[in-house]
Amino acid sequence: MPWGYGYRGRGNWPGAGPYSNLPPWQRPGWLYGRGACWRLYGTYAPNAPITPPAIKPEDETALLAEQKALVEEQLKTMQETLNKIQERLKELNK
């Protein structure tokens, strides 16, 4: 095989898959994990539309209520931390 023909005669990079023209670190599997082509596109077609799964309204309501409770808990914890920081700053400034 003559020099400059590519990696084992198939192109510039190893592999014979649909993204073999890209270097390994730019392929979907490298960026998003194994099987990313199937999860992201459903096929190997790079222009296939991505459709999220349908969610029932009652499931969405429960999910949003759970998220709201988590955010409120985080807000409460952050407020307590802020109060402790302010108290400590007051002690240090005396």
Side-chain angles (χ1 to χ4, degrees):
M1 179 178 309
W3 289 97
Y5 188 66
Y7 190 85
R8 295 186 191 164
R10 291 187 297 228
N12 294 328
W13 307 102
Y19 296 99
S20 61
N21 61 320
L22 296 174
W25 57 89
Q26 291 181 353
R27 295 179 188 171
W30 184 289
L31 296 172
Y32 305 110
R34 254 186 119 138
C37 299
W38 294 102
R39 286 192 311 274
L40 293 174
Y41 308 119
T43 65
Y44 279 123
N47 295 328
I50 299 172
T51 56
I55 299 176
K56 297 177 185 176
E58 56 271 7
D59 293 341
E60 186 176 7
T61 303
L63 178 65
L64 291 174
E66 183 180 339
Q67 288 178 345
K68 179 184 175 189
L70 290 172
V71 170
E72 288 173 345
E73 182 65 30
Q74 287 177 341
L75 184 61
K76 179 181 173 186
T77 304
M78 292 171 76
Q79 189 65 41
E80 291 171 358
T81 304
L82 178 62
N83 290 338
K84 289 178 184 177
I85 291 171
Q86 288 174 343
E87 289 173 10
R88 182 66 178 146
L89 283 173
K90 285 179 185 177
E91 290 174 9
L92 292 173
N93 287 334
K94 287 183 182 180

